[in-house]
Amino acid sequence: MKFDPNAILADAEIVASLASIAVKLGEEVAPYVEQLYDIIVKKESLSAAQREASIAAEAALRTRLNAPQPGDPDYTEGE
Amino acid sequence: MKRAFAALAAAALLAGCGALQKLEGAVTQDRLDVARATYDSLLTAAAQYNERPRCAPGQDATLANLCSEYTAVVKLRAVDASVAASFDQVQADLNACDPGKSGVTTQAAGTCSSLSADYDALAGVLAVARTATRQITGASI
């Protein structure tokens, strides 16, 4: 992986934001940071398979967000 | 991966805190992919918030007691549903507008003409999602 500081600075706001997020949320966001690094810094487009995987990962996060927790009106035992 | 993190951290020091990606310029698949990947960071924060224990009645979330409010989770879910629908709409527009894509042989003029407006709408719901997620989860995103 070749590091190009000029490419990073061109999109500094985006990259700085992601770096901040990565530090705060830890390894959980690693796949997305890596993906952004490839698109923004390495100027590579996602393949169809990568895009499909990315959308599947987004769906998995959405499932976690929508999962009822103990104490919720829609929570049932065993969830 | 570690190098990518290091590069990003270095850029953060150079540029300071920034906002989520601004959706400016031509609408392309790459831009949508960046927006989606960036949004996953917000979604991660929202999912983490939902997975906290719910706050007891009258109890506020603090650093020492990281709990979550059900009503706030409901709001995060609603905002995310808007973002998901908006992402799907822009992706559908892009698929229809790009005749080079597999299975698309003619441009759907009606869909293409709405691409720009749908992208603007996406920018709007992403801004709402960012604000809501920051306010509710406390994440500096």
Side-chain angles (χ1 to χ4, degrees):
Chain A
M1 188 182 292
K2 196 171 182 180
F3 174 64
D4 180 354
N6 293 322
I8 277 191
L9 286 173
D11 297 285
E13 188 179 21
I14 301 169
V15 177
S17 173
L18 261 293
S20 166
I21 293 165
V23 168
K24 289 177 192 309
L25 301 181
E27 286 294 317
E28 251 185 299
V29 297
Y32 319 120
V33 174
E34 189 163 26
Q35 197 174 86
L36 285 159
Y37 187 84
D38 287 346
I39 298 172
I40 296 170
V41 181
K42 294 170 71 183
K43 307 289 184 192
E44 291 178 358
S45 296
L46 295 186
S47 66
Q50 285 175 311
R51 187 168 301 114
E52 202 172 306
S54 171
I55 291 172
E58 184 183 314
L61 284 173
R62 188 158 288 122
T63 299
R64 285 175 54 193
L65 172 61
N66 290 312
Q69 302 297 317
D72 292 351
D74 50 351
Y75 179 78
T76 53
E77 206 63 44
E79 277 190 274
Chain B
M1 186 62 233
K2 282 181 179 174
R3 186 160 182 179
F5 262 95
L8 290 167
L13 289 173
L14 287 170
C17 286
L20 279 178
Q21 187 206 9
K22 291 176 181 171
L23 301 182
E24 295 171 347
V27 184
T28 64
Q29 184 65 57
D30 280 352
R31 281 192 167 270
L32 181 60
D33 289 341
V34 168
R36 279 198 108 121
T38 307
Y39 177 68
D40 284 346
S41 302
L42 282 181
L43 199 47
T44 299
Q48 288 176 340
Y49 180 82
N50 178 50
E51 290 167 347
R52 292 179 189 173
R54 295 289 182 254
C55 299
Q59 180 188 40
D60 289 327
T62 63
L63 282 178
N65 176 35
L66 288 175
C67 57
S68 60
E69 297 281 353
Y70 176 71
T71 51
V73 169
V74 169
K75 183 176 181 182
L76 288 173
R77 289 172 181 167
V79 167
D80 171 61
S82 300
V83 172
S86 200
F87 272 139
D88 289 346
Q89 184 59 58
V90 173
Q91 185 63 68
D93 291 349
L94 281 170
N95 292 347
C97 287
D98 184 352
K101 276 194 178 277
S102 169
V104 180
T105 52
T106 56
Q107 288 196 3
T111 309
C112 281
S113 65
S114 67
L115 176 58
S116 182
D118 288 337
Y119 203 62
D120 288 344
L122 172 61
V125 293
L126 281 175
V128 170
R130 181 182 60 187
T131 302
T133 306
R134 289 178 72 165
Q135 287 176 345
I136 292 170
T137 70
S140 302
I141 299 172

